[in-house]
Amino acid sequence: MTLLDLPTGSTATVAAVDDVHANDAIARRLRELGFVAGEPVRVVTRGPFGGDPLLVQIAGTRFALRRVEAARVRLAESRAAQP
């Protein structure tokens, strides 16, 4: 399951950020922003009709992510829960 698949309002735990290729700048930046294993993350809201962007909260900070970015964040499925 990825962050893109997480329902709005739900919380889960980050498992990893997937690199698409070597020296993946987007994956590296997501990790720098706090998307690291063990961190709880919540989807706050989504753009119109489920589109871009997704507003997510991690470590007390909210970020707007494009769907392609959210799809790189893998979640630990056993921790997904409604707030």
Side-chain angles (χ1 to χ4, degrees), residues 1-7 18 43 46 67 70-75 77:
M1 175 182 222
T2 69
L3 186 55
L4 181 59
D5 304 317
L6 191 65
D18 294 330
V43 175
R46 297 173 187 269
R67 293 172 54 85
R72 294 181 184 208
V73 180
R74 273 189 293 122
L75 304 175
E77 291 189 47

Side-chain angles (χ1 to χ4, degrees), residues 2-8 20 26 30 43 45-56 63-74:
T2 69
L3 186 55
L4 181 59
D5 304 317
L6 191 65
T8 302
V20 174
I26 293 172
L30 287 169
V43 175
T45 191
R46 297 173 187 269
F49 308 109
D52 285 332
L54 279 75
L55 181 63
V56 299
F63 296 99
L65 298 181
R66 294 175 291 182
R67 293 172 54 85
V68 67
E69 295 164 341
R72 294 181 184 208
V73 180
R74 273 189 293 122

